[in-house]
Amino acid sequence: MDARKFVLKETGIVALGQALCAGLMIGIFALLGKWDTSIWLGGLIGGILATANFFFMAIAASVASEKAVNQDVKGGQLTMRLSYFLRLAVIFVILYALVKSGVCHVLTGVLPLLFTRPILFVAEFFRKSGEIKA
């Protein structure tokens, strides 16, 4: 499978999982009587940030693997390190500004970042047996 198609497919899976998990999280806040605009905005923004984080990480990993195949292992490692630092810095700045301004709730903004790994874990159970694993 082409690397670009694989990245887009996996990002779609993460986006769908983020939507389901964020909806569940917002529903739990509503059941607890804590629902307000900052809750659903935090879930929406957090889910978008988590999905974008996964997408850009996958692109960086693809570029790094191409560099490694071309015998530029140090360049691949540098790409991954730089990507990691930039992604975390951007996420931190955006979430800090939104939480500080009161636009989104701190938990609903941060929790979607933790949902990505369980989403990918669960998605493995639904993967076809002959399908390529990354």
Side-chain angles (χ1 to χ4, degrees):
M1 180 182 283
D2 183 29
R4 285 181 233 148
K5 288 182 183 178
F6 184 75
V7 167
L8 290 176
K9 181 181 176 195
E10 291 296 309
T11 303
I13 291 170
V14 169
L16 179 63
Q18 285 290 342
L20 292 172
C21 290
L24 181 64
M25 176 182 62
I26 292 167
I28 290 171
F29 272 89
L31 287 174
L32 294 173
K34 303 287 185 180
W35 191 89
D36 65 359
T37 306
S38 69
I39 298 295
W40 74 266
L41 277 175
L44 176 68
I45 293 167
I48 290 170
L49 284 175
T51 302
N53 179 47
F54 178 81
F55 176 72
F56 290 117
M57 181 269 313
I59 288 175
S62 179
V63 169
S65 69
E66 288 175 15
K67 285 185 179 186
V69 166
N70 294 329
Q71 305 303 321
D72 185 13
V73 176
K74 289 193 186 278
Q77 290 173 339
L78 181 63
T79 299
M80 288 305 295
R81 280 193 211 120
L82 185 60
S83 165
Y84 180 73
F85 173 75
L86 287 174
R87 287 182 291 114
L88 286 183
V90 167
I91 289 170
F92 176 78
V93 167
I94 290 171
L95 282 178
Y96 182 79
L98 291 173
V99 168
K100 206 64 168 156
S101 67
V103 171
C104 71
H105 190 272
V106 66
L107 280 178
T108 60
V110 173
L111 282 178
L113 296 170
L114 302 176
F115 295 157
T116 304
R117 190 170 293 220
I119 290 167
L120 292 172
F121 180 76
V122 170
E124 281 297 311
F125 287 113
F126 297 104
R127 192 175 305 277
K128 295 176 186 167
S129 61
E131 200 169 337
I132 297 173
K133 293 183 181 180

